């Protein structure tokens, strides 16, 4: 590793460890950390963030499976669950793998949560494509509930002759950032489908700037 690369890795690590960063710092970090295919989590998320395309090679199988499961809703077959693209544990392990391989310590759980929240924000607004003609069938958006902040996918499907949107979580982090009132017993997330949130930092604390909170929140 050349000395400049080492300097940059150390710079980002120290910002993350102090929890003094925002989503723009994470975007810069990806230019370094997301090039190593051996760190699958960062490699895949970088590809999705940079290309803005759910048909990018590393994530295409995940979104194809999600679309396939949703398209079979109402067919009478067995119900299938769409898992997260990466769990919190998988994300944490991938980030810490990158830093420890480069001679640095593991990050705290709080810093990992901050990083994951920034990834969730960076991935908002990406259209979901499918098929040879790359038909747009849905989008990725920010979701907020009392317990979690999420990257949600919304895919439209036809059930009994009606077109309905089906939502599913893609990434999720514990909500230790914003006070959100439950909208129902299931704590269904509020979805920001036509606007985007931004993650900003004030000192060592992160905040979510919601463009509009639903009136019943």
């Amino acid at each position: 590793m050349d000395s400049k690369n080492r300097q940059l890795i150390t710079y980002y690590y120290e910002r993350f460890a102090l929890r003094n960063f925002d989503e723009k710092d994470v975007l810069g970090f990806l230019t370094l950390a997301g090039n190593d295919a051996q760190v699958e989590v960062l490699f895949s998320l970088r590809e999705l963030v940079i290309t803005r395309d759910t048909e990018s090679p590393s994530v295409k199988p995940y979104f194809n499976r999600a679309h396939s499961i949703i398209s079979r809703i109402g067919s009478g077959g067995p119900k299938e669950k769409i898992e997260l693209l990466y769990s919190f544990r998988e994300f944490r392990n991938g980030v810490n793998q990158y830093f420890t391989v480069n001679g640095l310590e593991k990050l705290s759980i709080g810093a990992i949560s901050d990083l994951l929240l920034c990834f969730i924000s960076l991935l908002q607004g990406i259209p979901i494509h499918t098929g040879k003609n790359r038909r747009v069938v849905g989008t990725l958006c920010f979701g907020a509930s009392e317990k979690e902040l999420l990257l949600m996918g919304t895919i439209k499907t036809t059930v009994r002759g009606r077109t309905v949107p089906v939502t599913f979580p893609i990434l999720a982090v514990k909500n230790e950032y914003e006070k959100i009132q439950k909208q129902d017993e299931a704590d269904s997330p509020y979805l920001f489908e036509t606007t985007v949130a931004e993650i900003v930092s004030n000192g060592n604390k992160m905040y979510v700037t919601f463009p509009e909170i639903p009136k019943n929140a």
Side-chain angles (χ1 to χ4, degrees):
M1 180 188 299
D2 65 76
S3 57
K4 188 62 182 180
N5 199 55
R6 165 68 65 182
Q7 181 188 57
L8 290 169
I9 292 172
T10 302
Y11 166 81
Y12 284 115
Y13 174 82
E14 290 175 350
R15 293 285 298 239
F16 298 161
L18 292 172
R19 302 181 69 178
N20 184 21
F21 64 97
D22 60 24
E23 61 186 51
K24 299 176 185 67
D25 295 305
V26 175
L27 187 59
F29 168 67
L30 282 177
T31 63
L32 290 173
N35 294 313
D36 186 356
Q38 294 185 1
V39 186
E40 178 191 330
V41 171
L42 294 179
F43 183 83
S44 296
L45 292 178
R46 175 192 179 276
E47 189 172 63
L48 187 53
V49 168
I50 299 301
T51 66
R52 317 298 293 176
D53 192 345
T54 58
E55 292 201 307
S56 296
S58 60
V59 295
K60 183 177 180 178
Y62 173 83
F63 286 102
N64 281 352
R65 182 174 184 272
H67 182 251
S68 177
I69 290 173
I70 290 172
S71 67
R72 295 195 298 272
I73 291 176
S75 65
K79 292 183 178 180
E80 296 180 69
K81 182 179 179 181
I82 301 174
E83 302 290 345
L84 295 173
L85 175 60
Y86 293 109
S87 67
F88 182 87
R89 180 178 181 180
E90 290 169 329
F91 180 80
R92 178 200 65 195
N93 290 348
V95 171
N96 283 331
Q97 175 190 348
Y98 177 80
F99 284 122
T100 56
V101 164
N102 284 289
L104 298 164
E105 298 294 322
K106 293 180 179 179
L107 290 173
S108 68
I109 293 297
I112 294 293
S113 295
D114 292 351
L115 272 170
L116 182 51
L117 178 60
C118 287
F119 272 100
I120 288 171
S121 181
L122 288 169
L123 291 166
Q124 297 172 88
I126 297 176
I128 301 174
H129 294 98
T130 189
K132 293 181 180 180
N133 62 356
R134 291 176 52 79
R135 180 169 58 96
V136 176
V137 294
T139 189
L140 310 187
C141 67
F142 197 95
S145 72
E146 181 184 57
K147 292 183 178 179
E148 294 181 307
L149 299 175
L150 312 100
L151 178 69
M152 300 292 294
T154 300
I155 292 179
K156 292 180 180 179
T157 191
T158 301
V159 180
R160 299 183 183 90
R162 295 178 56 200
T163 299
V164 296
V166 179
T167 61
F168 59 100
I170 299 169
L171 297 171
V173 65
K174 187 176 179 181
N175 185 7
E176 297 178 332
Y177 301 91
E178 300 292 338
K179 184 176 178 59
I180 304 292
Q181 183 178 337
K182 280 186 178 182
Q183 66 170 328
D184 55 32
E185 287 300 316
D187 196 22
S188 301
Y190 297 98
L191 302 181
F192 296 83
E193 298 181 88
T194 58
T195 54
V196 293
E198 182 180 359
I199 310 305
V200 297
S201 176
N202 183 1
N204 62 348
K205 183 172 176 57
M206 283 193 167
Y207 298 90
V208 183
T209 61
F210 293 107
E212 181 183 353
I213 294 287
K215 297 298 183 182
N216 59 337

